[in-house]
Amino acid sequence: MTSKAGTEGSTKGGLVLLTLAAGQFLMALDSSVMNVSIATVADDVGTTVTGIQGAITAYTLVMAMFMIPGGKVGAIIGRKRAFMIGCGIYGCGSLTTALAPNLPVLLFGWSFLEGVGAALILPAIVALVAGNFAVARRPAAYGLVAAAGAVAIAVGPIIGGVATTYFSWRWVFVGEVVIVLAILVLARRVADAQPDQRHRLDLVGAALSALGLGSFVYGVLRSDEWGWFQPKPDAPSWLGISLVVWLMLAGLLLIWLFLRWEARLVEQRKEPLVDPALLRNKQLTGGLTMFFFQYLVQMGVFFVVPLYLSVALGLSALKTGARILPLSLTLLAAAILIPRLFPHVSPRRVVRLGILALLAGAVVLMAALDADAGAEIVTIPLLLIGLGMGALASQLGSVTVSAVPDKQSAEVGGIQNAVTNLGASIGTALAGSILIAALTASFLTSVEQNEAIPADVKSQATVELQSGVPFLSDAQLKDALDEAGTSTEVTQAALDANEAARLDGLRAALAILALTALLAMFFTQRIPTTQPGATEA
């Protein structure tokens, strides 16, 4: 294939890889960089913290809805063209966000334009790696691209913290525009095979997949606020059940209808958005399942660890980011070195070892959490978790794409990124829900058993906190109690209960992530035992 032959030169191949990795870095950066600056952004655009959190939710939602159609667009107009158009849309969104005077403009730039751009870029990256690198080089290429995304999530809080503290959050989005321009210049070296036939976009399928994934992901994202099953006070419900359940069920129904519609198009010899036969491919579904579990655990960890460092220990955004950096070191090392040093290793073995490293990291961190523990306890667990993430990154991209002909790589890219988006959303929501549930139970139990707290205060606390105890630092809680005029004894009892409850909540969240990693081990059987192309050598 000419597109592969054109990248045999190491310099050109390196620039192509740098271009695609930079695109992946940029997409992931947006998910983490502003989390430390939400309050500042809200003040600048004249809205509330809830408004900015809504913008972040909308960005995730737009990506989820358009990821599968975005992959098909790449097959229709060419993967490189889709990548560059996506970068252009994303850059316009970043510029709009940087200049946004109010929330509606911010929503249009950040949530809509950047979300649509990402939906074109991410599937195209998967396809362009397949089109620009020989089969033997793909594990290393996919590993580096995936590692770039994970590193962006790890360093995002540092970048956001520095920009907000010393400059302005707006400069983050100006920087994104500069990166987009650099990517567009470098993208000229990326090769792309021309579409070998005329393709059509299945509009009905696109609508069904967008509505189905959008409904499901929106339900998951609202679970913390509305409750997974039992509706929280003042949360919307139907038949006494949280609206989250109904949204997720509606999403699953629409996805089922989407698959039935696609199967009907295949029977009529028309072109589907996604060929349902892909989902009967054992290797592809095995890789997609591992992607789901990886991103679920990964984003759960990126939710829990910063909370411990920034809230429980009171570290600044910069110090919190610095403590997470060790994860990036082993992640990059594993993603790059495993394919280089062990080019013929069994993908299944590497994936299993990666899952074991994730499990070990979560268990070690859970065991190390203690009231007297400091920030240093996260170092070893994060090194293990980074090692596991890097091991998975070094294999899974190659596993999924090699399961189908290269001409279907764009569609696989759309499905793959929809699955990772789903895993990331569930991971964050699940970790958050378990954390708050355990925190609430522990806090209320401690308050109930403390004789220094008057009975009327206990009753009031039980009523007011039934929807969930917020994850507060000691300073935040003390300020709230002082403002409420509580006595010294009650304040100290509440602070002690909060300290213990925070740790219980964090341990519970880590336990569910560890269990999820263990569950993933049961699905590794579908990962192949030989590297793609090994039989051709």
Side-chain angles (χ1 to χ4, degrees), residues 323-484:
R323 283 291 178 181
I324 298 174
L325 279 180
L327 179 148
S328 302
L329 299 178
T330 48
L331 191 156
L332 279 171
I336 295 171
L337 294 180
I338 289 176
R340 182 171 296 178
L341 299 179
F342 308 101
H344 304 299
V345 71
S346 163
R348 186 185 299 171
R349 181 175 300 170
V350 175
V351 167
R352 284 176 172 171
L353 289 173
I355 293 171
L356 285 175
L358 289 176
L359 174 63
V363 170
V364 170
L365 183 55
M366 182 170 54
L369 285 177
D370 188 80
D372 299 321
E376 69 280 354
I377 68 160
V378 305
T379 303
I380 298 301
L382 288 184
L383 288 172
L384 287 169
I385 292 169
L387 183 65
M389 288 165 55
L392 292 169
S394 72
Q395 305 298 315
L396 293 183
S398 181
V399 164
T400 55
V401 171
S402 65
V404 299
D406 281 359
K407 64 181 181 180
Q408 290 183 297
S409 57
E411 288 117 289
V412 168
I415 300 171
Q416 178 180 303
N417 280 286
V419 167
T420 57
N421 194 287
L422 189 60
S425 300
I426 292 177
T428 304
L430 185 62
S433 298
I434 296 295
L435 185 149
I436 295 301
L439 170 71
T440 302
S442 177
F443 184 84
L444 292 178
T445 300
S446 296
V447 168
E448 187 65 33
Q449 294 175 350
N450 195 310
E451 296 179 359
I453 301 177
D456 60 330
V457 175
K458 292 178 182 179
S459 300
Q460 184 180 359
T462 302
V463 171
E464 292 186 359
L465 300 175
Q466 62 178 324
S467 62
V469 174
F471 197 87
L472 299 175
S473 67
D474 288 345
Q476 290 171 320
L477 180 59
K478 190 175 186 306
D479 289 343
L481 292 171
D482 289 345
E483 191 175 321

